[in-house]
Amino acid sequence: HSGGGSKSPSSFDSKWGSGFGPDCSTGVNFLLGDAVHKFGGNKNDVHHYQIVGAPWAKLTWRDAQLDAWGRCFNGLRGHLAEVNNEKENEFFVEQLRDHGAWVDASGADEQAAWIGAAMLRGSDKYEWVEGAHASRAFYDLNTSAAVGSSFVNWAPGEPAKDGIGNCVGITETGGWVDASCYRQKGFFIVAFEG
């Protein structure tokens, strides 16, 4: 928890309450682990991501979310990443592969890496939980379709509509799977955006 002093509230502070994790406004990076990767070619559309985990690690979706909140990069607080398009999806798969996310992979969803999508509000819509599109629904279970022009990339047979999987992971093929938020996975993707 940061000490006193005034700072303007961010969308993170207003949604999740201030004081959780490090004070990222100090400019000190709290990263622990692997390097931060840059994605995007346009100066105004550059995002920074960190792949976190190991094949032996076991984190629930909430564990991954809390860990991401405790990371800072260039004055920005981390959060679980959203996936906005096919290019970004492929970038994540490549980065995860480079970090050994699918060593001895069986293809099962246990090998998926957590991203910042879930169906947590008792609705029938998956939404991005954090980031620039926080609370924006991207997939409707009732219509089995993307909401508006949202990018979706479900793996075959996903989402399962079994009432068990409410959190989303990305697999080696780039397909998304829904899984119990309590299922443990070895990797997750942290985004840092302003």
Side-chain angles (χ1 to χ4, degrees):
H1 179 67
S2 62
S6 67
K7 65 177 185 172
S8 60
S10 67
S11 62
F12 178 92
D13 288 339
S14 63
K15 185 169 182 175
W16 301 106
S18 63
F20 182 86
D23 180 359
C24 294
S25 67
T26 65
V28 175
N29 291 338
F30 294 94
L31 293 173
L32 299 174
D34 294 314
V36 172
H37 305 278
K38 185 169 108 175
F39 175 80
N42 180 334
K43 179 181 175 186
N44 298 321
D45 191 28
V46 172
H47 302 275
H48 292 89
Y49 300 102
Q50 185 180 35
I51 306 300
V52 181
W56 46 263
K58 301 293 180 199
L59 295 117
T60 66
W61 187 87
R62 182 70 168 152
D63 292 337
Q65 183 184 46
L66 290 171
D67 186 293
W69 288 351
R71 295 170 183 271
C72 296
F73 179 71
N74 289 346
L76 302 172
R77 182 181 308 279
H79 60 82
L80 290 177
E82 56 190 75
V83 185
N84 297 299
N85 54 57
E86 183 64 33
K87 227 174 152 179
E88 197 170 44
N89 201 69
E90 291 170 3
F91 172 79
F92 289 147
V93 170
E94 179 182 316
Q95 293 301 317
L96 286 158
R97 186 174 292 115
D98 289 349
H99 283 77
W102 293 294
V103 173
D104 299 323
S106 65
D109 71 357
E110 285 80 5
Q111 298 298 328
W114 291 123
I115 57 175
M119 186 173 54
L120 300 176
R121 301 177 194 266
S123 75
D124 289 334
K125 293 181 179 162
Y126 281 90
E127 63 184 49
W128 296 112
V129 177
E130 302 168 319
H133 299 111
S135 301
R136 187 180 83 185
F138 64 87
Y139 187 82
D140 188 329
L141 280 177
N142 293 320
T143 62
S144 297
V147 174
S149 62
S150 298
F151 173 74
V152 295
N153 199 43
W154 294 109
E158 299 287 345
K161 296 184 183 181
D162 57 9
I164 296 171
N166 288 342
C167 291
V168 181
I170 186 171
T171 67
E172 182 175 18
T173 64
W176 301 349
V177 294
D178 66 337
S180 166
C181 299
Y182 300 102
R183 173 136 331 144
Q184 295 177 329
K185 301 193 181 300
F187 287 85
F188 60 98
I189 305 167
V190 179
F192 303 94
E193 45 188 16

